[in-house]
Amino acid sequence: MSSARTLVLWDIDHTLVSIDGVGRDIYAEAFRVVTGQPMERVAAMAGRTDWAITVETLRMHGVEVSDRLLDSFGTALAEAFVVHEAAISERGRVLAGVREVLDALAGRADVIQSVLTGNMEPLAIGKLRAFGLDHFVDFEVGAYGMDHEDRAVLVGMAQKRATQKYGESFTTRNTVLVGDTPNDVLAGHLGGARVVAVATGSSDVRALQEAGADLVLEDLTDTEAVVRAVLVAADG
């Protein structure tokens, strides 16, 4: 393995935690605040950024999108999250094996853990904090759903932030994205990371393999196997 540390970028929803239903409620509240009308439907969320979801949802309702409106929607999302935060811990759950894997990797000197998520930063931090997972990752070097519309671009942003903070070079060779959708796989490969995919969301093992993931796991329950998969993926 390279002497450089491995940057592990975790997706959040359906990879680390599940908060089924609460996400739509948050969007509905933000949409009502910003537009003054009810949200009839929301754009597909799996593997996408809050930026892309927001733009499509607004356009689906005939709302013209501007930078100012996007900023307002982001603020409303963060405020709506606070309103629904209690529901996240009540209705949501940490997926099997997640806490053990995060703890195991956090104990390694050769690993830096952060997030690459479609969630905007306050939501990402809040979701992990709701389940006591926030101390395992370095949010400062993560990349988030309002940083850019294109998820693939987020990979380079996280690598740059990690390089600036830790003084090491992070490239495809030592960056691993862990996610649960074909969009995660595509973003990782286009953005410059290897990808470990887990079939804990709506995509099964075969779909993730066909998407081109470097390694595919059923779930994160076997701690040693997951740690090995992450390090093998980084080693190339």
Side-chain angles (χ1 to χ4, degrees):
M1 178 181 293
S2 168
S3 59
R5 283 182 283 186
T6 297
L7 176 63
V8 182
L9 299 172
W10 291 97
D11 171 56
I12 293 179
D13 293 301
H14 305 294
T15 298
L16 298 179
V17 303
S18 174
I19 59 164
D20 289 344
V22 183
R24 190 189 190 286
D25 293 345
I26 292 170
Y27 262 86
E29 175 67 15
F31 189 91
R32 183 192 62 76
V33 168
V34 171
T35 69
Q37 63 187 72
M39 186 183 76
E40 297 176 2
R41 52 194 176 129
V42 66
M45 293 182 169
R48 304 180 71 200
T49 62
D50 275 336
W51 185 328
I53 296 165
T54 297
V55 169
E56 185 176 339
T57 299
L58 288 167
R59 287 176 176 165
M60 287 164 61
H61 291 77
V63 179
E64 184 176 347
V65 180
S66 65
D67 289 343
R68 184 175 179 180
L69 186 62
L70 273 176
D71 287 343
S72 296
F73 204 99
T75 299
L77 273 177
E79 292 172 350
F81 178 84
V82 173
V83 173
H84 291 85
E85 194 162 4
I88 289 174
S89 55
E90 292 169 2
R91 292 163 54 184
R93 61 191 174 90
V94 179
L95 298 184
V98 164
R99 198 177 301 276
E100 293 78 7
V101 168
L102 292 178
D103 186 49
L105 288 172
R108 297 185 63 100
D110 58 348
V111 171
I112 297 166
Q113 295 189 97
S114 191
V115 294
L116 190 143
T117 172
N119 292 281
M120 61 184 297
E121 187 172 0
L123 274 64
I125 295 172
K127 285 180 180 181
L128 296 192
R129 185 178 58 218
F131 299 105
L133 302 176
D134 52 312
H135 65 287
F136 290 120
V137 303
D138 182 351
F139 290 108
E140 289 184 356
V141 302
Y144 304 92
M146 282 299 190
D147 288 344
H148 198 279
E149 183 176 11
D150 185 346
R151 199 179 184 99
V153 174
L154 300 184
V155 177
M157 297 177 79
Q159 290 170 327
K160 182 177 180 180
R161 288 166 182 168
T163 295
Q164 290 174 336
K165 180 168 183 176
Y166 293 101
E168 301 175 22
S169 178
F170 294 97
T171 66
T172 305
R173 187 170 181 80
N174 62 337
T175 304
V176 179
L177 188 157
V178 187
D180 66 284
T181 72
N183 280 345
D184 293 317
V185 178
L186 181 63
H189 287 163
L190 290 178
R194 299 188 186 275
V195 182
V196 174
V198 289
T200 47
S202 59
S203 300
D204 61 18
V205 168
R206 182 175 179 180
L208 295 169
Q209 289 172 334
E210 290 177 349
D214 296 284
L215 292 166
V216 181
L217 303 171
E218 286 277 0
D219 53 38
L220 299 176
T221 55
D222 186 335
T223 303
E224 290 185 8
V226 178
V227 171
R228 187 164 57 248
V230 167
L231 298 180
V232 166
D235 205 25

